[in-house]
Amino acid sequence: MLRHPADRRTVITSALAATAGALLAGGAAGPAAARARTTADGVTLRLPAPTGPYRTGAAALYLVDRSRRDPLEPRIPVREVMATVFYPARTVRDRPRAPQMTAGAAADFGADGRRSHPELPASGVDWAATTTRSRTGAPADAARRRPVLLYSPGGGDPRTMGTGAAEELASHGYVVVTVDHPGDACEVEFPVTMTGRDTVRPTVLRYDPRTAPALFRTLIDTRVADLRFVLDRMAALAAGRNPDAAGRPLPEHLGRALDLRSVGAYGHSAGGTAVTQAMYQDRRIGAAVNLEGYLDRAPETPGGEGELYPVARYGTDRPLLLLGTDGFQDRKGLEHSWPAVLAHSRGRACRRQLDRAAHWVFTDYAALVPQLQAAGLVTAADRAKMVGTASPAVSVPAVRHHLRAFFARHLPTH
């Protein structure tokens, strides 16, 4: 069962329960219908379908910030960012489904993904075969401008492991921009070559960055700057310019679909840290969801307390949701900073919890890891460690519900 924390021990809303029940009954659009299939190339995993009324399009953007050198690779003279925009489409006719990962990214993820997640199988999965429900290059539905949401993934994770939630929000009328943080993410594939890197750039992480205070500070500061830069480029897109540094064509009317007066952000783990602090620093971000991210810097000594980020020290004057799990292995690590931001935000921040869930339940792993277990590629113990024991027919709708309800309240689509 999924519940709020002990101080608010009420079950999730009856509306969510009804939704989960419908999905368990076998609705075609639900997580319960997502089943892996096996081919000669290995197991092909399936993402759960979005539930909103809009068909969705997807467009990848290559963005270059020439005002910054890359902080994680001194040989790279600029800061590059890859992003994918998910959006309500006017039509998806004759448009192919977008892959979850590009071919190069999938190959690198299959070889090195276990560096971030040793629970994943070393072989037996065709990561390149998973498709999204969004159509590449479909014309945007620009009947009205729509709120824009930025997504920052967890440390070591690529933006592609946030595809399910992004498609869900886009299907309900949002424009969602998922952001990779190169050098941090386990793999990022670029459309062009650049001095100092290969076409597919791997992560620099070889250990938990919370054990290295200087590295953790650099990673979060870089993520915050990346998010603010992406928001700048979205402004250029909304103004009718093409922000893609390679000059690749954009979907028709994409810029006209953006309402940059209504911007939110959500992020997982290190991404949760980044979006919360980005909201504090940037008045353009009107609401944020922190999916189990610390709000203090890494402690200088093992077992100590790190310096609070300003958002935790002073609070937020805009809506903030802190969403955690009962299965997070470092729940105690949040108890320095999360109560601080709650205490200083005058009711603008709230905290919720998912039970029978673990840290990566907020990502596509919530749907994919149970499929890997069913295929005999992941043990029950490793599945519980990554995403918890709750069925994806319950956990996936629960995460979606919290995100949709929060943004519908604070950044409505109409």
Side-chain angles (χ1 to χ4, degrees), residues 283-319:
R283 300 296 306 182
R284 292 176 295 180
I285 301 175
V289 179
N290 178 339
L291 303 170
E292 216 155 55
Y294 302 98
L295 292 177
D296 56 357
R297 303 187 193 277
E300 296 293 335
T301 58
E305 291 185 344
E307 176 190 5
L308 293 174
Y309 276 100
V311 68
R313 193 181 315 135
Y314 303 114
T316 176
D317 60 356
R318 278 152 287 159

Side-chain angles (χ1 to χ4, degrees), residues 211-396:
T211 64
L215 176 60
F216 186 77
R217 181 187 295 265
T218 297
L219 293 177
I220 300 304
D221 290 350
T222 300
R223 283 167 170 265
V224 171
D226 287 347
L227 292 168
R228 300 184 71 181
F229 166 66
V230 169
L231 195 49
D232 291 341
R233 303 316 295 149
M234 291 303 102
L237 177 59
R241 300 191 295 276
N242 184 350
D244 190 90
R248 297 176 299 176
L250 300 176
E252 186 180 10
H253 303 314
L254 181 58
R256 290 168 52 188
L258 309 181
D259 183 359
L260 293 176
R261 299 166 302 175
S262 184
V263 174
Y266 66 105
H268 173 238
S269 198
T273 308
V275 300
T276 309
Q277 183 57 26
M279 181 172 71
Y280 181 84
Q281 294 179 213
D282 197 320
R283 300 296 306 182
R284 292 176 295 180
I285 301 175
V289 179
N290 178 339
L291 303 170
E292 216 155 55
Y294 302 98
L295 292 177
D296 56 357
R297 303 187 193 277
E300 296 293 335
T301 58
E305 291 185 344
E307 176 190 5
L308 293 174
Y309 276 100
V311 68
R313 193 181 315 135
Y314 303 114
T316 176
D317 60 356
R318 278 152 287 159
L320 171 66
L321 171 61
L322 305 173
L323 185 57
T325 66
D326 66 336
F328 182 34
Q329 293 182 331
D330 192 26
R331 287 177 66 196
K332 290 183 179 179
L334 300 175
E335 295 310 315
H336 175 48
S337 62
W338 279 25
V341 74
L342 291 169
H344 295 122
S345 295
R346 299 183 179 182
R348 299 302 290 169
C350 63
R351 182 175 183 174
R352 301 289 183 267
Q353 177 175 294
L354 304 183
D355 287 350
R356 296 179 57 214
H359 191 53
W360 284 277
V361 76
F362 301 113
T363 71
D364 290 342
Y365 291 121
L368 302 184
V369 169
Q371 294 175 52
L372 292 173
Q373 183 192 3
L377 296 174
V378 165
T379 67
D382 282 341
R383 173 221 174 128
K385 182 179 178 181
M386 284 194 71
V387 301
T389 59
S391 165
V394 175
S395 64
V396 172

Side-chain angles (χ1 to χ4, degrees), residues 119-251:
E119 302 84 3
L120 295 177
S123 61
V125 183
D126 185 359
W127 294 104
T130 301
T131 59
T132 72
R133 304 305 178 103
S134 300
R135 304 291 176 148
T136 300
D141 181 350
R144 62 176 181 275
R145 292 189 179 267
R146 303 176 183 281
V148 176
L149 305 177
L150 304 180
Y151 170 69
S152 180
D157 276 346
R159 74 190 191 278
T160 49
M161 280 298 164
T163 295
E167 289 189 302
E168 171 71 1
L169 289 164
S171 78
H172 285 272
Y174 293 90
V175 174
V176 184
V177 186
T178 62
V179 181
D180 260 334
H181 303 284
D184 181 336
C186 67
E187 44 71 19
V188 181
E189 184 170 15
F190 297 96
V192 298
T193 58
M194 173 69 70
T195 300
R197 65 156 173 80
D198 294 328
T199 303
V200 179
R201 182 176 172 183
T203 183
V204 302
L205 300 181
R206 296 296 182 270
Y207 47 80
D208 181 357
R210 290 286 291 181
T211 64
L215 176 60
F216 186 77
R217 181 187 295 265
T218 297
L219 293 177
I220 300 304
D221 290 350
T222 300
R223 283 167 170 265
V224 171
D226 287 347
L227 292 168
R228 300 184 71 181
F229 166 66
V230 169
L231 195 49
D232 291 341
R233 303 316 295 149
M234 291 303 102
L237 177 59
R241 300 191 295 276
N242 184 350
D244 190 90
R248 297 176 299 176
L250 300 176

